[in-house]
Amino acid sequence: MAGERWPILVVSGVVPEGGCKVGDEVNGPALPTKADRLFGPDPSGLDESPRGMVVLVIVGMIVGLLSGMFGIGGGTVIVPALVWLGLSQRHAAATSMLAIVPTSISGVISYAHNGNVDWIAAVLLFAGMFAGGQLGSWLLSRLPELVLRWVFVVFLIFVTVNQVIFTPSRDQRISMSVATGIGLVLLGVVIGILAGLLGIGGGALAVPALSMLFGASDLIARGTSLLAMFPNSITTSVANMKRKLVHIKAGLIIGIIAALTTPFGTWIAGAVSPRVGSIMFACYLGMLLVRSLFVAIRATRAS
């Protein structure tokens, strides 16, 4: 009708003068658009080509083996791999936490089947990790990328040194007391902050701490660590998804593949001696430390 302005939808890929694009309106109000998932679209930047998908599958297989062998979530592998595939350090860390959910479930089942889980210690550890994880997730959305890289390097140095100088026993258990319970909660707070900040499950810190500070055997420390990180990875992932930091597809691909290979890693952990297991873990962390240090130095110079 005369005098009225009718909306014209741009349905081609050609962007007209003025900046409109596919789905925009000319001379009319914008139509509401529906998000493609509950917490919004995946963060952009990830290489989703066939090559990228193959890398995600390989990373999942490696993570599953390491999780079963060492009682870790695998963030020390997942985060650098996702950064290499194009995600920022922030989004890689958040996506890693989602991948740890199915990985830790599989590991807990494998360790619990052989009686190598301290359920009470895991609950206390998670209580602290829950609070710390929320703080870590909050910091993750605010700290600069360069700070995150250097925190990751310092964390790796600490864990590697501990693996070299300490050999856990295989026949000890956690002796529970009031002081032990308080200590487990405080340890959980520290682990939760690092988990939310670095995108790790926290096992690389929890396993040596449970053995050195609380007298757990190497296998019980690993099984208990995986049980504690399971609910923490869920709560932290929910917080990260609400902040739209998680690449859901990548996290699920890595996590599901890892869950399938974790039982084999658990079998390896029981087949080797505690000292051999510590040396293997230290060698892996040492290689990762060299790479992470190189990347952090390069990023510092570039900034």
Side-chain angles (χ1 to χ4, degrees):
M1 295 182 183
E4 289 188 279
R5 296 185 302 171
W6 290 86
I8 303 173
L9 289 178
V10 181
V11 295
S12 72
V14 179
V15 180
E17 186 177 356
C20 295
K21 56 185 178 181
V22 177
D24 285 346
E25 289 186 355
V26 179
N27 294 328
L31 294 177
T33 57
K34 182 179 180 181
D36 59 357
R37 55 179 38 86
L38 182 60
F39 294 107
D42 282 335
S44 60
L46 184 75
D47 178 7
E48 298 190 47
S49 66
R51 166 183 166 275
M53 294 299 103
V54 169
V55 171
L56 292 179
V57 171
I58 294 174
V59 168
M61 295 174 63
I62 295 173
V63 165
L65 289 174
L66 294 176
S67 179
M69 290 174 63
F70 306 125
I72 63 176
T76 48
V77 176
I78 300 172
V79 173
L82 291 177
V83 170
W84 183 68
L85 286 176
L87 286 186
S88 68
Q89 183 81 13
R90 192 185 323 279
H91 290 118
T95 302
S96 173
M97 287 302 296
L98 178 62
I100 288 170
V101 175
T103 306
S104 58
I105 293 174
S106 177
V108 168
I109 293 174
S110 298
Y111 275 99
H113 179 71
N114 296 315
N116 290 317
V117 174
D118 190 315
W119 300 87
I120 297 177
V123 170
L124 293 172
L125 199 60
F126 165 69
M129 291 173 69
F130 175 78
Q134 304 310 301
L135 177 57
S137 176
W138 179 82
L139 290 172
L140 177 64
S141 65
R142 287 163 173 78
L143 288 179
E145 291 273 323
L146 189 59
V147 172
L148 296 178
R149 292 186 185 277
W150 279 107
V151 170
F152 195 58
V153 168
V154 173
F155 167 76
L156 287 175
I157 293 174
F158 173 78
V159 175
T160 303
V161 171
N162 275 280
Q163 289 298 309
V164 172
I165 65 177
F166 179 76
T167 302
S169 170
R170 180 145 293 180
D171 56 0
Q172 292 182 340
R173 292 183 173 272
I174 298 174
S175 179
M176 195 59 62
S177 66
V178 174
T180 299
I182 295 174
L184 286 167
V185 172
L186 294 177
L187 173 63
V189 171
V190 175
I191 293 173
I193 293 174
L194 289 174
L197 189 59
L198 303 179
I200 61 175
L205 177 59
V207 171
L210 287 172
S211 293
M212 290 187 293
L213 302 178
F214 301 100
S217 71
D218 61 327
L219 297 181
I220 290 179
R222 293 166 188 170
T224 303
S225 167
L226 286 169
L227 177 58
M229 76 174 64
F230 156 58
N232 181 66
S233 58
I234 293 178
T235 56
T236 306
S237 292
V238 170
N240 287 332
M241 285 192 289
K242 288 181 177 179
R243 295 183 175 97
K244 300 179 181 180
L245 297 174
V246 180
H247 197 294
I248 298 175
K249 184 198 302 185
L252 291 179
I253 290 174
I254 293 175
I256 292 173
I257 296 298
L260 298 177
T261 57
T262 297
F264 183 62
T266 306
W267 175 81
I268 296 176
V272 301
S273 69
R275 185 55 185 166
V276 171
S278 294
I279 293 174
M280 291 170 60
F281 194 24
C283 290
Y284 157 71
L285 291 174
M287 291 186 294
L288 186 60
L289 173 60
V290 171
R291 181 195 176 280
S292 299
L293 184 60
F294 172 76
V295 172
I297 293 174
R298 185 174 60 183
T300 301
R301 290 176 177 174
S303 65

